[in-house]
Amino acid sequence: MKRVAIIIGNEGKMRNFLPGVSKDMANFKKLLLSDVGGAWEENEIISSKFWSTSSLKREIDRQKSFGTDYFFIIFSGHGYAIKNNDTFFELAENDDLALGTLRRWVQFKKTLIIADSCRKYIDIIEKAHVESYLRTFYDSRSILRTKYRTLYDNEIDRLEAFHNTFIASTNLDECAEDTEEGGLYTKKLLDLASSVAIHGRDGVYTIKNLHEVISSQIAEETHHRQTPQIYSTSTIQSPPFIVKPRIF
């Protein structure tokens, strides 16, 4: 199984600076490197705050030329939506990437995309997004690391050809809520992942499993001002997020 994780962060400029983007990027990477997060290797993770649409397209094409089977793409930063059109991610100043374009780039590959960004219609200014924290995951240096990686790979293999799942921290025309500890969606997702890693039973916990739990919590806590969404090519299958193989 050849896989790649691409972590995209854009902190914005002084007038709309998002101090939590660096923490979000580091915390997602920490999860991926952990055993329960899929036992990813350093050389399978590409993380940068300096993407452009052209450089991201080149990197995706390069990975496809290497025969990559699975793309896990994470975006943290500013975003917006255009009514009756598409969701956009701000990669750099005056350089915005449409979700539809990103999906076309990876349409023949199994893919999970997670975006913690606003989807307010373009005439609405996004609220600030501050730092998030990740609790302790299992030691990624475990001698049993191969078991975690194999279970994660096997779950990816089980996905239908060209599977695509997109997770949005907000619905259309909504803004992502902030907390003192970071973006609400990212914080809850990584906190739940940490809890499952420590206290959960053996098995596979998909992104859909975790998303369904936290999306209802977020909707309730924000009085439905923020209602996270999941869009997938399958109503049954979902990419793995946390894995806990039976060790003994």
Side-chain angles (χ1 to χ4, degrees), residues 60 64 67-71 102-111 160-164 233:
I60 289 175
K64 288 163 69 174
T68 297
D69 303 295
Y70 181 65
F71 284 86
L102 178 58
R103 280 176 148 172
R104 284 195 297 275
W105 291 349
V106 294
Q107 65 181 329
F108 298 122
K109 297 293 182 178
K110 297 177 181 180
T111 307
E160 82 276 15
F162 313 145
H163 178 95
N164 182 285
T233 52

Side-chain angles (χ1 to χ4, degrees), residues 70-74 89 99 102-103 106-107 109-115 159-168 185 206-209 211-212 229-241:
Y70 181 65
F71 284 86
F72 186 176
I73 301 174
I74 299 161
F89 311 121
L99 172 61
L102 178 58
R103 280 176 148 172
V106 294
Q107 65 181 329
K109 297 293 182 178
K110 297 177 181 180
T111 307
L112 169 60
I113 303 170
I114 296 179
L159 297 173
E160 82 276 15
F162 313 145
H163 178 95
N164 182 285
T165 290
F166 170 54
I167 301 290
Y185 186 88
T206 68
I207 184 61
K208 183 178 180 181
N209 296 148
H211 174 84
E212 288 178 345
Q229 302 294 308
I230 181 169
Y231 308 89
S232 180
T233 52
S234 173
T235 58
I236 301 173
Q237 297 178 311
S238 183
F241 198 75

Side-chain angles (χ1 to χ4, degrees), residues 173-201:
D173 204 25
E174 293 180 351
C175 252
E177 290 285 335
D178 301 327
T179 75
E180 293 182 355
E181 298 177 81
L184 187 59
Y185 186 88
T186 296
K187 179 183 183 324
K188 282 192 173 292
L189 177 63
L190 297 183
D191 279 355
L192 178 58
S194 176
S195 178
V196 167
I198 297 170
H199 304 294
R201 295 180 178 180

Side-chain angles (χ1 to χ4, degrees), residues 17-244:
F17 183 70
L18 303 178
V21 168
S22 294
K23 286 288 184 65
D24 288 347
M25 295 172 71
N27 289 337
F28 265 115
K29 184 175 181 179
K30 183 177 179 181
L31 169 64
L32 294 175
L33 290 171
S34 71
D35 291 351
V36 296
W40 294 69
E41 301 296 343
E42 283 275 0
N43 62 7
E44 296 174 317
I45 303 171
I46 305 167
S47 180
S48 175
K49 292 182 285 186
F50 303 103
W51 294 102
S52 65
T53 52
S54 57
S55 67
L56 181 59
K57 176 64 161 58
R58 284 195 302 271
E59 184 58 44
I60 289 175
D61 286 344
R62 190 173 76 95
Q63 293 297 328
K64 288 163 69 174
S65 73
F66 293 159
T68 297
D69 303 295
Y70 181 65
F71 284 86
F72 186 176
I73 301 174
I74 299 161
F75 174 76
S76 176
H78 288 290
Y80 62 91
I82 296 178
K83 191 174 291 188
N84 300 321
N85 189 333
D86 207 346
T87 293
F88 290 82
F89 311 121
E90 299 180 14
L91 300 190
E93 191 170 5
N94 300 317
D95 191 0
D96 303 341
L97 174 63
L99 172 61
T101 299
L102 178 58
R103 280 176 148 172
R104 284 195 297 275
W105 291 349
V106 294
Q107 65 181 329
F108 298 122
K109 297 293 182 178
K110 297 177 181 180
T111 307
L112 169 60
I113 303 170
I114 296 179
D116 192 351
S117 62
C118 288
R119 299 175 78 199
K120 265 290 188 184
Y121 290 131
I122 196 168
D123 56 333
I124 305 297
I125 298 175
E126 179 185 1
K127 291 168 58 182
H129 176 94
V130 295
E131 66 182 31
S132 65
Y133 299 94
L134 180 66
R135 295 184 181 177
T136 303
F137 285 87
Y138 288 172
D139 186 351
S140 63
R141 296 170 295 177
S142 168
I143 60 174
L144 301 173
R145 183 174 175 81
T146 300
K147 287 184 176 290
Y148 290 84
R149 187 176 176 88
T150 298
L151 179 56
Y152 195 93
D153 283 346
N154 288 344
E155 287 302 305
I156 294 174
D157 281 336
R158 287 163 55 90
L159 297 173
E160 82 276 15
F162 313 145
H163 178 95
N164 182 285
T165 290
F166 170 54
I167 301 290
S169 65
T170 60
N171 203 348
L172 287 168
D173 204 25
E174 293 180 351
C175 252
E177 290 285 335
D178 301 327
T179 75
E180 293 182 355
E181 298 177 81
L184 187 59
Y185 186 88
T186 296
K187 179 183 183 324
K188 282 192 173 292
L189 177 63
L190 297 183
D191 279 355
L192 178 58
S194 176
S195 178
V196 167
I198 297 170
H199 304 294
R201 295 180 178 180
D202 296 343
V204 175
Y205 297 81
T206 68
I207 184 61
K208 183 178 180 181
N209 296 148
L210 275 63
H211 174 84
E212 288 178 345
V213 173
I214 66 172
S215 60
S216 59
Q217 294 175 352
I218 291 171
E220 182 176 354
E221 289 180 15
T222 63
H223 304 287
H224 295 274
R225 291 189 305 272
Q226 180 176 345
T227 52
Q229 302 294 308
I230 181 169
Y231 308 89
S232 180
T233 52
S234 173
T235 58
I236 301 173
Q237 297 178 311
S238 183
F241 198 75
I242 295 295
V243 292
K244 298 187 68 176

